[in-house]
Amino acid sequence: MIRIADINDCERLTDLFIELHRHHVEIKPETFRMPQHEWFSERIAEILNDGGQTVFIHEDSELDGYVVVKIMDVNTEEKFPRRMCYIDCFAVAENCRRQGIGTELFGAVKAFGKEHGCTSVQLGVTACNTDSVAFYNEMGLVPRTIIMEMRL
């Protein structure tokens, strides 16, 4: 079942956020570091109370995945106006992956974006996070902008 998260989900969301961030630290330790536990719970509470972001959760017997999205309007002199649904954070519990949970969550994001008049879904993903890149490709996302880096 997919629903919008509320403050009662904060503890489990924090656990999943920590699990996701540990993965980022493992695959890109030169960029990511592990903050104190309080940072994660404060950040989740901030997101839930923000009003500008929506958190969808997937739960069967327990909360096993979530996605944080926000609607962004782009309207500048040099670009055509558009509205996008931006995925800020996307996680499925490690022991629940490859069961269709991510696909269900992504479907909720697409429906939410269409409902809000968005013309696209966008996100950022670290290139070395190959499992996530493959998943997003399966969902139909394609590279739009490539950020390149040289380590010094």
Side-chain angles (χ1 to χ4, degrees):
M1 174 179 85
I2 298 202
R3 66 174 173 81
I4 293 177
D6 61 42
I7 202 69
N8 297 317
D9 299 309
C10 200
E11 186 176 335
R12 181 63 180 138
L13 283 168
T14 298
D15 292 342
L16 287 175
F17 192 12
I18 290 170
E19 184 180 301
L20 173 66
H21 197 75
R22 275 197 186 108
H23 175 67
H24 289 145
V25 171
E26 287 172 14
I27 63 171
K28 200 135 170 73
E30 69 278 6
T31 301
F32 295 99
R33 63 182 177 178
M34 208 61 191
Q36 298 295 320
H37 185 275
E38 295 77 32
W39 181 85
F40 292 98
S41 56
E42 289 169 5
R43 183 71 184 115
I44 289 294
E46 197 177 283
I47 289 167
L48 291 173
N49 291 319
D50 176 346
Q53 298 179 82
T54 302
V55 181
F56 290 99
I57 61 171
H58 181 278
E59 62 181 349
D60 281 330
S61 58
E62 72 171 351
L63 196 161
D64 49 23
Y66 75 98
V67 59
V68 179
V69 297
K70 58 185 163 187
I71 303 298
M72 298 174 67
D73 289 306
V74 178
N75 189 5
T76 60
E77 189 66 29
E78 79 281 7
K79 293 183 181 177
F80 288 106
R82 67 186 185 283
R83 175 172 267 197
M84 74 175 109
C85 184
Y86 184 79
I87 296 175
D88 189 46
C89 193
F90 196 122
V92 173
E94 190 171 358
N95 64 332
C96 297
R97 293 186 186 148
R98 303 199 192 293
Q99 297 176 21
I101 294 166
T103 302
E104 286 183 54
L105 283 166
F106 195 83
V109 170
K110 288 190 332 186
F112 182 75
K114 287 178 183 176
E115 189 178 300
H116 285 84
C118 296
T119 57
S120 66
V121 173
Q122 295 184 19
L123 57 81
V125 61
T126 304
C128 65
N129 192 348
T130 54
D131 288 343
S132 292
V133 170
F135 170 75
Y136 296 130
N137 283 330
E138 286 175 27
M139 295 300 103
L141 280 84
V142 295
R144 186 188 68 110
T145 301
I146 298 173
I147 297 173
M148 300 178 80
E149 173 182 57
M150 174 193 287
R151 301 284 305 154
L152 301 177

